Amino acid sequence: MKRLDLSKLGQYVIVIIVAVTLNFALPRLMPGNPLALIAGVDVGLLTAEERAQIIEDVGLNEPILNQYADYWVSIATGDLGQSYRSGRPIKDIIAERLPWTLLLAGGALIISSFFGIILGAISAWRRGGKADVPLLTGMIALQSLPSFWLGMLLISVFAVNLGLLPSFGAISPAANYEGWEYFKDVLEHAILPIVTLSVLSTPGVYLTMRYSMLEVLGEDFIRTARAKGASERRVLFGHVTRNAIAPVVTFLAIRFAFSFGGAVIIETVFSYPGLGRLVFEAVSGRDFPVMQASFLVFTAAVLIANLIADLLYPILDPRTRAA
Amino acid sequence: SSGTTDTTSGDASPATTAAGGTTDPEPTETTAATTDEPVVVRAAVTGGEDTLNPYTYVSGFPGWNMLMLQYDSLMQFDVNGDPQPWLAESVETNDDLTVWTLTLAEGVMFSDGEQLTVDDVEFTFNYFTEKAAGRFARDLRGVESVTTDGDRTITITLDAPNPAFDLVALADIPIIPEHIWSEVTDPEEHQFDSVTNIGSGPYVLVDYVEDQSYRFEANPDYFRGAPAVDELVVVVFADDSGPLAAIRSNEIDVIFERISPEQIDLLDALDPIDISQGPEFTTQMINFDVTKAPFDDIAVRQAISKAVDRQDIVDTVFLGAATVGSPGWVHPEKAVYNPAVAAERDVAGANALLDEAGYTDSDGDGIREFSGGPMSFEMLTNSSDSLRLRIAELVAEMLAEIGIEVTVSSVETATWEEAVWPGFDIANGRNYQMAVWGWSAPVQANTIRVAELVDGNPDIGFLNLTGFSDPAVDAIAEALLTEADPAVSAQQIGELQVLIAEGVPFVLLAYPDGAYAYNSAVYDGWEFIAGQGIVSKLSLLDASARP
Amino acid sequence: MTPPAIPANRPRRLLPRSLADRLGWFGAIIVGFLILMAVFAPRLAPYDPSERVARPFLPPSSEHLLGTNDVGQDLLSELIFGARVSLTVGIVAAVVAMLIGTTVGVIAGYYPKRLGSVLMRFVDVVLILPFLPLLIVLAAYLGRSLTNTIIVIGVLIWAAPARIIRSQVLSLRSREYVLASRSMGAKDRWVILRHILPRTGLLATGSFVRAISGAILLEAALSFLGLGDPIQKSWGSILFWAQSRGAFLTPAWKWWVLPPGLAIMAASLGFALIAFAVEERINPKL
Amino acid sequence: MTSPASIRSPLALDAPPLLALEGLSIRFDMRDGQVHAVSDIDLSVKPGEVFALVGESGSGKSVTALSIMGLLPTPPAIVSGSIRFEGQDLTTLRNRAMSKIRGKEIGMVFQDPMSSLNPVHTVGKQIGESLRLHFGMNRRDAHGRAIELLDRVGIPDAASRASDHPHEFSGGMRQRAVIAMALACDPKLLIADEPTTALDVTVQSQIVQLIRDLQQERHMAVIWITHDLGVVAEIADRVAVMYGGRVMEQGSASDVYAATRHPYTSGLLRAIPGIDRSTATKLAEIPGTPTTIFAPLTACAFHHRCPMTEPGCTSSVPELMATDRPGHESSCIHHEELAAAGNIWLDDASTIQPDRSRSDDRVIVTVEDLKVHFPIRRRSGRARGTVRAVDGVNLEIHTGRTLGVVGESGCGKTTLGRTLVGLIEPTAGSIRVDGSDDDTHRTIQMIFQDPFSSMNPGMRVRDVIEEPLRILSMGSSGERESRVAELLEMVGLPTDAAERYPHEFSGGQRQRIAIARALAADPQVIVCDEPVSALDVSVQAQIVNLLRDIQDTHGLAFLFIAHDLAVVRHISDEVAVMYLGQIVERSSRDDLYREPLHPYTKALLAAVPVPDPSVSHSAAPLRGDLPSPSNPPSGCRFHTRCPVAVPGMCDTQPPPLLEVSSERWVACHLVGSDQPHKRPQTGGEQS
Ligand SMILES: Nc1ncnc2c1ncn2[C@@H]1O[C@H](COP(=O)(O)OP(=O)(O)OP(=O)(O)O)[C@@H](O)[C@H]1O
Ligand SMILES: Nc1ncnc2c1ncn2[C@@H]1O[C@H](COP(=O)(O)OP(=O)(O)OP(=O)(O)O)[C@@H](O)[C@H]1O
Ligand SMILES: [Mg+2]
Ligand SMILES: [Mg+2]
């Protein structure tokens, strides 16, 4: 592998700086304040001094630039501070939430890439054929489904009416399963949200794959491969798919990062204890440190995904390797 | 009020629960017959409440209610919402309600086996006073001293008469163990867990997964007898529809949140699911900025109050599951309610009022004008409460009939709060014209708190969000706060209701009922406390142990 | 560098495109139908959707084909009028997005060095912006109204078209006819207005239609989360009410939840199909 | 290096044909019409012979080749007739059986070597693939064999290059690799579809040489597809000329060239500028342009453009007929008259071009020490080096005269031209334009190579031609309109063309529009960057003649950039030869072509194919490929490829461009007045 390009790195740095600044500014630009959250209950009963004390305790009275500088320091030291609401270190909170979101996003990534790539390949290979038309139409239709609606309907059908799967949460509450039981429990809870996320992201993979395949199919070297006497199978797997996969992988990387953001709706619908729900709650309560930290995680996810895509691309497509 | 309760029934003697007419065999009998078949109840809440220590719970409801499963207060609400002796066997006061003398019950243990003593009570009062934390410190304002006398007597001296001290403090404050908390110097920073979640209450929090679940185990040595429910699992949902799905799919057994009105009949119709319903003291009202034209004109406010059809709101929005709002603030279920202020819808009267006061539609577009232009206002609601949104829509429809145009603006909750109550301090003024607003149950539960809502002096009327000011109202409100004689106090409240109905500091529309859904096959001993609902230790104790 | 054998008059238009065309027409029919519905809503709808015409929570009947909602408004009428708001928001938000996206894309593509890479970094940032707080911030400063929902959606979705248009402009700016124009002394303004923009237009059409499809979905999601304007009768807000009044779990889902969901899907699908057909046509390689 | 081919018997002329196409027709059924790409042709290829299929763009050559390989997309292609390979009808074979023949029995080389290699696999793997497919070789053996093959096709250091990816190869190396791939299984028939068209003349002659050697070594049959009659003359045993999906003429190479029996063939041959043709006359044109056949033929496909057309030509489709020579067939019903008459083409070729005296011209553009350097950027945008595209060029352009610029691909011709018109900022040096106002754009205009992409497809022809006038704010709209009409007439297009769109025109017509546009602002200099290299030979002549006419009537100066030395010779007054961003020789046209002085010029000229099979060609004149312009060789940039380079001098000191005789500049240590003893033989005395 070639070392990472410096100017590319510089661009990442710029994006990070701007994104972090926005992450800092957005919560503070929002109307409302975190007082109620920090004070706990019945904020109306506080005296003015008590209010001031609370604000001072969390450092919100400091000049905005100092707060901004502190935020950078906290990022640099990896200490993301404490939640206003629970007072717990945000590192711990994120460490608890992230695996669940990763499970959903990862599960959906695997499922949607599996179906998306295979179906996309079939569709492109038999373009305009019996499989392509319904697949294409169906995928575009799936892409048009409102995600929350789909999630709610799935709950309604599979959890409420059929009673097959749990409707909420990541594990059965307070069940304390172990080993295989635990695994099964987690799986059962993850099925509906993963299916919802997958239904939403498969069409994108499919369309990218189909498009990419069609483009490769039009290339001269496919004709060369046939002229060599390669069978259709071999052409498909040895030449077409291999060449078509690079854009799909890039798409998947980005898609994976964005499913973090998409998790907000899905995790709310399924009461799933991931990062998306954390953000939603932090935003409603103006839990500044949690908001900042989780935006940071989102930003990092997108940047890392981009980076991975950038690093993978030359492996998948030798033309882009530095000469 | 004072009274004593027999505390000897500590070891759970089997007793029949209220006739619930369930298909199940009588639950406690089952418990007795097969002791290895514990009663487990799974409850749902919306939004986490954190670690449920006195400094870390989040909301007044159901956070405080869940907190109090682990702790006890000196007094305990009964089904009517009145405080009754609890940890304190007896509660006595002097005539001007400044000295409260309590006798502690015997043999009360914390869940770690330590005895609960008067020292713990004294410690608790001092601790909450010193370590500022909103709710309980405020309760204790005005406490001059707390002294103990022997093993069982505690004397609390107040600097001024406080007729509601039992309600706001004695029945509200959890007694915390000195041997744990004396080492906690900074409770805001301190993190709690099941080791330090030590109380004397009927339950022990044994398991907590943030934003997912709580598991409470019954305290078999509870001083009022072992609870009827052996294990309570509280599941945290992200939104209101999650619990509704889960109770249908049999994944939970009770919802610890009020269900919305349309669900009442639907859920009740399902088989093992029953509904416990009763009056609650939450409110739905219209606020306006009384300091600005035209709401500074009493005629306009009165016209609005006359023009709204409270019954229609109760019928349409709450499908009947609410009480029509009293223009005088006090809930009709309350003893001190003054029936003379009952609301009558009178559109013609409202129009006449406005015409008289000079608000006419001079350009014929159906909207009246005032000095500042057309009477066209924005009414804020918070988008997370859909019933409030509907109320706003209906009010807009109703006010259109008197030539006032209302545009409903639904905003996210914090934004709405910030506009109506900037920084939660009325000194910051107001940034709205009209808003649908509501107070939580405690404000209504303690009737004399009405002073906080209407007094023109910000120190007293710190919940006076509309900026209302009327010397007559102020005078009565302030007198009310220290009135020791219940009869006089009732008289004053009666007058105040009339003044409020006339002065219209806000337009009270309705008091929504509380309705709770539960699976009666699993447990049906739920007790509805007036004004508070079913989420309380009472629901989980044997009927005989309830006050 | 100079393969001389550029195939003369190879008929590009002769390639078979029937599938894309058929799908495109299918999409156009759906969209046409929905637009007619929106335009003639006052005539088609049996009732005024904002008027309480019957008891709340009525199941379907001959008077109210889809029953009534939680305050007794006719659901069918809401659905029909909902097309107005949903389509308007979708289309106008897409216009906003395209205006921003095209401007940024064209400038970034035409000046790819400094200005362009700065702009593209900006696009990157927009793509990773946490949209929930952004939305609340925008709504707080702009107030809550249909116009602002439109602006918010537009601001959220312009980045994708900007990227596509930029890459198109990058390739256009080195086309020989652009070089020809510049060799005649054309200023950037001339080249952009006369050559780049008109040629980008076609591609932008595809992005535009796709953006409409996305904007309709986004409007529905925002309304559903209560971040739109639930007072407006859009399909998303019908679902918001259905959700907040528990209709997903009751038999009412059949007449309260399904129809608006399908309407959103149909609208989004219709535009997506048109976009697909348009893009397929533009790309001669496929 | 034993190959199975060595067992095969030598060429047997009377042997049964290896491949026989009988009644082959190929049609494309599209939704909005049919294209009749090939109509009922019969062809046969004997074992071991080189059979050339010649014709202009769209004549059906590639389609024919693909149908032999069974690689036409069906649908939309519909193939009828039979294709017999060793007696077996390939059209009846299923795909599976066909893949056993593809690659093993018949190998194929495609035109564009870059796109015919799979970018993600190494070159060695791709060559080994057919061995593994057909001989079941294991990975290691296949790789070893691939290295041998690469070595055989002349890739230096084959063992290490085999694990490179295609993008790491230069154009010429890629084509060698593709050839190695096609030959891997030692096929009996090699089909080469325009294998040299994308390559420089220098590389082209290397490849031609290579295939000829391989063909003789292995006794395989080759079908060589090309539009370039020059290349064919060097290699083919037999030739078939196609037009409009029909075979026009077929016979041995010498017969087809020397005793042409079809008007189309003779027209083509005359239209080729030729390196040794007289430049005093105009090029011979074939009027009209090749067209696509949308309906079944009912007449001779060529009758629209043929000077001999008479009713007999349109009454039926003429079949191939035997001519007066054995094995030579023609489909022209007049072939006997042709045999008698010789040339039937209207003799515009005898039109004498006006002679240009040098007395009345003046220098209009002076370029001094021009340098254009490009930073090389990665995908990420970071600079990683510099391409010295133009590196110190001095020249003058004279009014009314043409300066031709030649050189291999990538030597900086285009960059030079674009810098002149202001498209590229020079890195150093100056461009001075005399006798004009400050706006150089009014003085210098440009014509681009690709007539398809140089016009905005969304604009009407009128807008296209008007554009420079509007940009330079010249004339009122009325004046502009009449100017457009005037220009259209000048370039030989009907006035109603103004309202139509560029895509409605053929390549040649579009290039006329481009010329009209360049003339619109009445410039004094026009930079023509490969203006005819995208055009068919028959049309190319029309455009070259048009340019000359316009120059004569308007006294314009041209900078004429081309890689085709014959075309440059025909149009230029003076020629500059570029190598790696520098001019290595500059001289008057006649001197240069008669007596090239610089070894590079000589090599270029030697590589030009001559459309005459009787002229035998010398071996490939130049070694290797053009070095990278980002890292040019030290000293004389040409020393790495120069056959006469003197070590110690040429590789250390850069030779200056010296005026070796009047109006003649050469940059070579071995040429020049100061070193007469080292002057190469050909560099005769100049006065
Ligand atoms: N914009 C550019 N950026 C970087 N390198 C360039 C650029 N334009 C041209 N080059 C490089 O400069 C060199 C000269 O290119 P140029 O196009 O002038 O050659 P040419 O002689 O016209 O070749 P051809 O005959 O193939 O047109 C080549 O190596 C080319 O890759
Ligand atoms: N896949 C296809 N679909 C439709 N028409 C085609 C297709 N391939 C070729 N044709 C048509 O068939 C005719 C012959 O094309 P062919 O590629 O054989 O020409 P050629 O002689 O090889 O020309 P060139 O020199 O441009 O390669 C042309 O008119 C072309 O438009
Ligand atoms: Mg008016
Ligand atoms: Mg008016």
Side-chain angles (χ1 to χ4, degrees), chain B residues 313-324:
Chain B
I313 289 172
V314 167
D315 292 343
T316 307
V317 178
F318 296 99
L319 303 169
T323 307
V324 168

Side-chain angles (χ1 to χ4, degrees), chain B residues 360-369 374-375 403:
Chain B
T360 51
D361 179 6
S362 53
D363 60 4
D365 62 355
I367 302 167
R368 294 171 190 274
E369 278 87 38
M375 295 186 84

Side-chain angles (χ1 to χ4, degrees), chain C residues 119-186:
Chain C
L119 280 176
M120 286 329 280
R121 292 294 76 75
F122 187 62
V123 168
D124 284 348
V125 172
V126 169
L127 282 173
I128 60 178
L129 271 186
F131 86 92
L132 205 62
L134 181 70
L135 208 75
I136 294 171
V137 169
L138 287 176
Y141 288 92
L142 303 172
R144 194 68 62 97
S145 72
L146 205 58
T147 324
N148 297 333
T149 308
I150 288 170
I151 294 175
V152 166
I153 295 179
V155 165
L156 283 177
I157 61 174
W158 64 267
R163 286 194 149 189
I164 297 173
I165 286 169
R166 171 180 166 269
S167 64
Q168 167 80 355
V169 172
L170 267 183
S171 103
L172 279 179
R173 76 187 285 281
S174 57
R175 294 279 162 90
E176 287 198 343
Y177 60 81
V178 170
L179 294 178
S181 186
R182 286 176 45 212
S183 76
M184 297 163 206

Side-chain angles (χ1 to χ4, degrees), chain D residues 86-292:
Chain D
E86 295 188 310
Q88 186 180 25
D89 189 351
L90 301 183
T91 57
T92 62
L93 286 185
R94 323 199 81 212
N95 206 5
R96 188 170 284 270
M98 196 59 214
S99 9
K100 296 224 164 66
I101 292 176
R102 283 189 214 129
K104 182 160 184 287
E105 306 289 334
I106 310 177
M108 185 152 178
V109 174
F110 296 98
Q111 167 173 343
D112 183 356
M114 180 65 224
S115 59
S116 37
L117 285 165
N118 189 334
V120 305
H121 295 312
T122 62
V123 172
K125 184 172 174 195
Q126 295 188 59
I127 296 172
E129 186 180 6
S130 27
L131 294 165
R132 301 188 60 198
L133 284 170
H134 295 292
F135 299 134
M137 270 193 201
N138 64 27
R139 199 178 290 264
R140 240 195 38 239
D141 294 351
H143 188 73
R145 180 86 181 104
I147 293 173
E148 282 173 32
L149 283 161
L150 278 177
D151 190 59
R152 175 61 196 92
V153 296
I155 303 280
D157 193 14
S160 75
R161 297 311 298 260
S163 30
D164 281 355
H165 285 93
H167 71 275
E168 294 163 86
F169 275 34
S170 71
M173 284 160 72
R174 280 179 210 144
Q175 196 60 299
R176 288 169 196 268
V178 171
I179 290 168
M181 205 159 76
L183 296 183
C185 294
D186 227 331
K188 297 182 183 118
L189 173 63
L190 178 75
I191 302 177
D193 188 356
E194 312 243 13
T196 59
T197 307
L199 306 173
D200 275 318
V201 264
T202 50
V203 184
Q204 173 178 321
S205 67
Q206 294 168 6
I207 297 288
V208 169
Q209 182 76 37
L210 172 68
I211 295 189
R212 196 162 50 187
D213 290 352
L214 289 166
Q215 182 265 339
Q216 276 162 10
E217 180 182 306
R218 300 173 179 220
H219 305 288
M220 67 183 170
V222 173
I223 298 180
W224 187 289
I225 294 175
T226 184
H227 67 276
D228 185 342
L229 281 162
V231 175
V232 170
E234 288 181 20
I235 186 168
D237 297 315
R238 283 199 308 134
V239 177
V241 181
M242 284 185 77
Y243 186 84
R246 296 281 297 162
V247 176
M248 298 283 111
E249 183 173 10
Q250 177 179 202
S252 72
S254 48
D255 283 352
V256 170
Y257 280 81
T260 313
R261 289 293 175 265
H262 198 285
Y264 175 58
T265 319
S266 67
L268 271 187
L269 284 169
R270 285 161 29 90
I272 299 171
I275 201 91
D276 50 1
R277 286 257 165 90
S278 157
T279 51
T281 58
K282 282 186 161 187
L283 279 176
E285 300 175 10
I286 302 179
T289 45
T291 50
T292 311

Side-chain angles (χ1 to χ4, degrees), chain C residues 5-11 14-16, chain D residues 26 28-30 35-38 55-66 72-73 76-77 111 193-194 225-227 242 291-293 536:
Chain C
I6 283 173
N9 53 27
R10 175 154 292 169
L14 293 185
L15 293 172
Chain D
I26 300 164
F28 291 93
D29 277 354
M30 319 302 293
V35 175
H36 294 260
V38 172
E56 288 174 297
S57 187
S59 58
K61 310 176 298 285
S62 299
V63 165
T64 306
L66 288 173
L72 279 177
Q111 167 173 343
D193 188 356
E194 312 243 13
I225 294 175
T226 184
H227 67 276
M242 284 185 77
T291 50
T292 311
I293 312 293
D536 281 313

Side-chain angles (χ1 to χ4, degrees), chain C residues 103-115:
Chain C
T103 313
V104 172
V106 165
I107 295 176
Y110 196 75
Y111 303 102
K113 292 203 176 125
R114 288 266 161 69
L115 187 54

